[in-house]
Amino acid sequence: MQSPLFWFLAVSSFTLVYFFAEHEGFYFGDDYSYSLYAHQLIWGGFHFDDYSFCHRFMVFVPTALFYWLWGMNIYTTTLWPLLCTLGTLLLLYLAFRKAHPVATSWALVLLGLYYFQLNTVNYLYPDNILLFFTTACLLVLYRARTQLPSAKQEITWGILFAFLNLLAFLTKETIVYTVPFYLFVLFQHIRNRENLRFWGSALVSGTILLALYFLLYKVYSGDALQRLYDIKATNTVETKQAYLDSRSATLLPRLTYEPVLFFIGSGLAIPLVLTIFSFFTKGSHRGQSTAETLRFWFAAMVCMLLPIWFGTATVDFYKPMPLVPRMFHPLLPTFCLSAGLVVEKAWGKRPAFLLLTFLFVVCTVLAGEKMWVLYAPLAAFFALCSFFSRPLPHWLGLIMVTLVLAIRPVYFMAKPTVSYYFEQKEIVDQHLNHRVGKYTVLMDSVMLNRYRYFYGFHTPTNYQFKRYTDLSTTGQQNVDTVFLLINNGVLEHPELMMPIREKDVLPLFPAARLITQKGKVKLYYLPKDSSASAF
């Protein structure tokens, strides 16, 4: 059970189980936009809409391919993030299974079972896709950390490095947070006169690729810098005034202790604690291989963490990146590999176990009423380990961490659905897809902006969709049937913050008659003589 292959297969299998068991179907957010772009690429109509999402081609172009191959459904919509997640695990397994089998097993468990990484497996978001390309870029740089054996390999790896970074940039702009680490390694190589052809070929090919990229923008949109302008406009419009109004009270905590509390609250404290305790124990280096590898990934973690912690997410004013777990996905391979290498180096030392016990007790105290279930069992486990005079096998620690990390994913897999997407899709397919006649469907504001997805963006022309309060007597007379669609999952969704509930809607339509109900989704029929009053 200490074999990297065992843990690779176990974590990959768990990812697949989570993908199907916890699939909410739809998030009513960014995934709608990316799905629409993918649809437009196939059936026409794609254009830049002045929003930064439309420039992230590596999110929706592969999705468009899956739509073309297997049709549009919720699984083809989210297949690309799933493949990138499994691909990330495969990259780590292939890169380190021989040289660092123990560290590989730990890294696979820490990354593959991290809840927020799993949470974005089944949504069409760029974060797990970027995780794959970031990992690939860092692994190429890791391969080039020492002198490559031939000039041909230096050039080949340099071109690959530039190409992978372009693909990452076409996924999400936050790949720029790797640049400080790139510059750090470049400086080291220049100082030691190593792999200069690697960097030369990377810079030349990168320049050519970027020139072609901006040239295509110039031809297609008339402005080579269109993407940069849209990024600036999106960030400014969405965040500027609200942030400036609260900056005096929020900026200092955000730049000091809030990231630490965020790491604890998100579960990222587990790999970070395992990494931190390397400073307090000498351990056994098992030669220089583990120490050198650890220095590389620890330096990557620090160099990437600094701009995320202190950098700005906007161009025309200073605003640190929000502390949202998926924003830290590019850092996950550095966190988890560093932790795995430290455990490989220092496992079995009683002072290390005592220190881990103390650090996880601190995390338990600071975690609050929910997250303590992650840290308290680990504190107890490492406290128990400190009583044994003989080193315990790594597989005991791996099993313990696996059980702890699996708590949240298993809880959400067992928890009832939130959005009730599948139930609503079934109702739409069965009752709201007539080919003849004229129909009106009344729905909430969130669904009004997203209903096209339920029709594969091919909405029947004989249907019109309105808010609950937008039905007039005249409009009702001009249609054959009026339906009232209430998705209580959406109305009660805590993140959507809807101001109304079913009890607010039904009094507006006292004559409404229930046609069908699936879960928390209800479809009503409104007789011709019913009318809606204003709120």
Side-chain angles (χ1 to χ4, degrees), residues 146-421:
T146 55
Q147 186 68 44
L148 291 167
S150 67
K152 181 179 179 181
Q153 285 198 28
E154 287 189 62
I155 294 172
T156 301
W157 283 100
I159 295 173
L160 177 62
F161 182 66
F163 182 68
L164 287 172
N165 274 281
L166 177 64
L167 294 181
F169 184 61
L170 293 178
T171 302
K172 195 175 183 181
E173 304 78 31
T174 49
I175 187 62
V176 299
Y177 290 114
T178 60
V179 172
F181 180 60
Y182 294 168
L183 295 177
F184 171 76
V185 178
L186 173 60
F187 173 77
Q188 294 284 353
H189 283 186
I190 292 176
R191 187 181 64 177
N192 298 328
R193 302 188 63 81
E194 294 178 342
N195 293 328
L196 298 184
R197 292 187 187 88
F198 168 84
W199 288 106
S201 61
L203 291 172
V204 170
S205 56
T207 301
I208 294 173
L209 290 171
L210 283 177
L212 291 173
Y213 174 75
F214 289 119
L215 178 61
L216 288 175
Y217 265 82
K218 181 66 176 178
V219 173
Y220 187 80
S221 70
D223 192 334
L225 303 179
Q226 181 67 45
R227 181 181 185 183
L228 304 183
Y229 294 141
D230 288 346
I231 293 172
K232 176 180 179 297
T234 299
N235 290 336
T236 300
V237 169
E238 292 186 349
T239 65
K240 185 172 185 178
Q241 195 55 51
Y243 171 71
L244 294 179
D245 291 342
S246 61
R247 178 170 55 180
S248 60
T250 60
L251 188 58
L252 182 60
R254 167 60 182 83
L255 296 178
T256 52
Y257 63 86
E258 275 192 357
V260 177
L261 297 179
F262 161 78
F263 292 140
I264 296 174
S266 65
L268 278 175
I270 294 178
L272 285 179
V273 164
L274 293 174
T275 302
I276 289 171
F277 90 89
S278 67
F279 293 105
F280 301 92
T281 178
K282 293 181 180 180
S284 173
H285 286 250
R286 297 176 59 209
Q288 290 302 310
S289 175
T290 300
E292 292 174 358
T293 305
L294 176 58
R295 280 196 294 269
F296 176 91
W297 291 101
F298 184 80
M301 181 180 70
V302 173
C303 291
M304 293 173 66
L305 181 59
L306 288 176
I308 294 179
W309 193 316
F310 299 105
T312 179
T314 58
V315 178
D316 60 340
F317 65 99
Y318 179 73
K319 178 184 181 297
M321 178 178 285
L323 296 176
V324 178
R326 59 190 180 88
M327 299 299 181
F328 286 76
H329 276 26
L331 279 166
L332 290 182
T334 66
F335 282 178
C336 299
L337 277 169
S338 296
L341 291 162
V342 168
V343 174
E344 178 182 344
K345 180 183 76 167
W347 181 263
K349 301 295 182 179
R350 188 170 184 269
F353 288 145
L354 290 174
L355 180 62
L356 284 176
T357 302
F358 170 75
L359 292 175
F360 281 123
V361 167
V362 172
C363 290
T364 303
V365 174
L366 297 177
E369 58 185 27
K370 293 182 179 179
M371 292 297 293
W372 68 268
V373 297
L374 242 65
Y375 302 114
L378 292 176
F381 172 76
F382 286 111
L384 183 63
C385 290
S386 65
F387 287 102
F388 288 88
S389 57
R390 295 182 180 180
L392 297 174
H394 277 279
W395 62 264
L396 280 177
L398 287 166
I399 290 178
M400 185 63 196
V401 173
T402 297
L403 292 174
V404 167
L405 289 177
I407 292 174
R408 294 188 76 187
V410 170
Y411 168 77
F412 283 102
M413 282 191 283
K415 190 178 179 181
T417 179
V418 175
S419 64
Y420 288 86
Y421 165 84

Side-chain angles (χ1 to χ4, degrees), residues 440 471-482 528-530:
T440 296
L471 180 66
S472 64
T473 303
T474 303
Q476 188 179 6
Q477 292 174 350
N478 293 333
V479 298
D480 297 319
T481 306
V482 177
K528 281 279 189 175
D529 57 352
S530 63

Side-chain angles (χ1 to χ4, degrees), residues 23-32 74 77-78 119-120 122-125 324 326 418-419 421 446 450 453-454 490 493-496:
H23 210 308
E24 282 287 343
F26 206 57
Y27 191 68
F28 302 101
D30 301 359
D31 46 359
Y32 177 86
I74 201 61
T77 297
T78 52
N119 178 252
T120 44
N122 46 19
Y123 293 125
L124 185 56
Y125 276 34
V324 178
R326 59 190 180 88
V418 175
S419 64
Y421 165 84
V446 170
R450 300 291 185 261
Y453 183 86
F454 289 85
V490 172
H493 198 300
E495 295 184 16
L496 297 177

